[in-house]
Amino acid sequence: MAKLRVVDGPLTGTEYALKGGPAAAGRHADCAVPIPDPRVSRNHAEFIPDDNGDYAIIDLGSANGTSVNGIPLSPGNPRALCGGDEIRMGRNTFRFFSGDARIPNVDIPGFTLEDILAEGGMGSICRAKRKDTGQEVAIKILHRGYARHEEFVNRFIQEARASERLSHPHIVKVFNVGKTDNGRYYYSMELVRGPTLTQKIPSLKREEALTIFMEIADALEYAHRRGIIHRDIKPDNILIGEYGEPKLTDLGIAVLDQAEMIQTGQRVLGTPHYMSPEQASGGIITAATDVYSLGATFFHVLSGSPLFDAATPEQIMIKHVRERPRSLAEAVPDFPPEISAIVDRTLEKDPARRYAGAGRLRDELAKRIRVLYPDLLRGELEDERRKSGGGTMKWAAAAAILLLLAAAICFFLW
């Protein structure tokens, strides 16, 4: 049975079963999915199944709209749903689970699977607990079909092992990769207790968004220097931790999604709204590809709408290749022109005209933020000092103790 789970907002943790027939969602008490939220219309949207049990959602002309994976729906036009899709209605974000969404029947050595967090074209993500320490982690388990594609499996293992070596405060840590006795591949990673950036878009303050932009650019610079290109930067791949810190996930592993999409034509990436022109046209992938996708991501975050939109994924890809992107200054006229210019440069069609690396992008953002929002970076430095256990004060105290010890030794020797 398909279901919805609220993953962000006042109703977080609430679940609704979709029992096979059409299910209305709204503020009206008679709705199959009742949402007590003043920003939700009485009859807001409807979930409609087909003969195969697959669901679509249609906005019923709601006052404040409905979005799927951050993309607003046109009223009256149904949108097919896949497992893992995130639906925003009012102040709540709902994650859709298809009828077969359940914990995979696999035995992963050393772990107990406790709950399913998400599902998608590549596999399922489960919350798990280590049997020896009780530590909670997230485990991504690939669908069985991947075992038949040797090239995909080899690349998956190679990329996951490369990600194991990464250690950065804004990258989700991958712990290990393995294979179960019945041939299912998996990897375990840090469990981030927070929403995706997609879920945060409606409530994100401008200053918060710029800080996240800079910190993810720093994470990409770190990965690029170690030979890893993400290839699938998008709001869904940026998680927000419980203290507000952004974490980039699926680093280096997302290439498998794209390979599968090209191979089978299936919807695996979600949408191509953040895809660079060279990706869309089958060109060479470089670090500049990630810079473009990060720019497209933050164009969406800062403006509230994607860079390009169209009726089909193919049409969106063609726009990335051929059409001039809107300037952020056009989309948000009151936005500081210095920041708009930075976003615009990341979205150049020619990779050589973008920033020479994510580090250059980070530095330019930091320079502009320092002038426009001086308290923002000062607060960040204070946060880093607190996280590191006192920072400068800690070292100053240590130095004072050493000086006192040296003086005592000299006194006794004298």
Side-chain angles (χ1 to χ4, degrees), residues 72-328:
L73 298 182
S74 299
N77 292 329
R79 158 65 152 86
L81 293 173
C82 290
D85 280 347
E86 292 182 346
I87 303 152
R88 185 80 182 185
M89 292 183 282
R91 295 176 295 168
N92 293 280
T93 298
F94 302 75
R95 181 170 292 147
F96 175 74
F97 292 85
S98 63
D100 58 354
R102 57 185 181 275
I103 296 176
N105 185 25
V106 294
D107 182 22
I108 297 181
F111 294 94
T112 301
L113 301 182
E114 299 198 324
D115 190 16
I116 184 165
L117 300 175
E119 58 170 350
M122 192 177 176
S124 303
I125 301 178
C126 296
R127 179 170 56 84
K129 187 174 286 186
R130 286 188 53 161
K131 292 178 179 177
D132 54 352
T133 64
Q135 177 192 12
E136 286 194 319
V137 301
I139 294 185
K140 192 163 194 173
I141 304 167
L142 299 190
H143 289 318
R144 292 183 186 277
Y146 278 93
R148 298 194 299 269
H149 300 284
E150 184 178 356
E151 181 182 350
F152 291 169
V153 168
N154 289 341
R155 186 62 179 268
F156 166 75
I157 293 171
Q158 173 189 340
E159 298 281 7
R161 285 180 177 161
S163 296
E164 283 179 327
R165 297 193 292 272
L166 299 181
S167 180
H168 188 279
H170 299 300
I171 295 175
V172 171
K173 177 65 179 172
V174 172
F175 298 127
N176 72 306
V177 58
K179 180 182 179 182
T180 66
D181 291 340
N182 60 352
R184 299 286 293 274
Y185 290 87
Y186 68 91
Y187 60 89
S188 65
M189 56 186 168
E190 172 187 1
L191 179 64
V192 179
R193 299 182 183 280
T196 66
L197 183 57
T198 300
Q199 297 166 357
K200 293 286 288 183
I201 289 175
S203 61
L204 202 62
K205 294 179 181 177
R206 183 176 290 181
E207 293 83 357
E208 289 179 284
L210 291 176
T211 302
I212 293 170
F213 194 5
M214 183 175 63
E215 290 169 337
I216 296 301
D218 186 61
L220 284 174
E221 169 70 4
Y222 174 87
H224 292 166
R225 285 185 176 276
R226 287 152 182 80
I228 295 180
I229 299 171
H230 193 292
R231 303 173 175 91
D232 190 23
I233 303 293
K234 56 185 179 182
D236 277 348
N237 276 338
I238 298 173
L239 307 179
I240 308 300
E242 60 182 320
Y243 300 109
E245 71 281 10
K247 297 266 189 178
L248 186 59
T249 189
D250 272 0
L251 199 83
I253 297 169
V255 66
L256 287 170
D257 284 333
Q258 296 181 47
E260 180 74 356
M261 184 177 70
I262 293 166
Q263 184 82 10
T264 67
Q266 294 175 353
R267 179 187 178 279
V268 219
L269 275 179
T271 70
H273 285 89
Y274 316 100
M275 190 180 289
S276 70
E278 59 269 24
Q279 266 179 302
S281 60
I284 297 173
I285 306 301
T286 67
T289 300
D290 282 348
V291 169
Y292 182 98
S293 296
L294 185 60
T297 291
F298 278 89
F299 183 97
H300 184 179
V301 170
L302 296 168
S303 72
S305 60
L307 182 64
F308 294 115
D309 206 2
T312 68
E314 292 77 12
Q315 291 171 346
I316 298 172
M317 292 164 72
I318 289 170
K319 288 187 175 186
H320 277 293
V321 174
R322 297 179 182 173
E323 288 194 13
R324 182 187 73 85
R326 287 182 296 160
S327 168
L328 184 62

Side-chain angles (χ1 to χ4, degrees), residues 352-372:
R353 294 176 63 86
R354 299 171 204 155
Y355 287 96
R360 292 281 183 89
L361 169 59
R362 173 204 61 209
D363 294 344
E364 186 68 17
L365 278 167
K367 182 170 74 173
R368 298 302 178 186
I369 290 172
R370 194 172 289 115
V371 174
L372 293 166

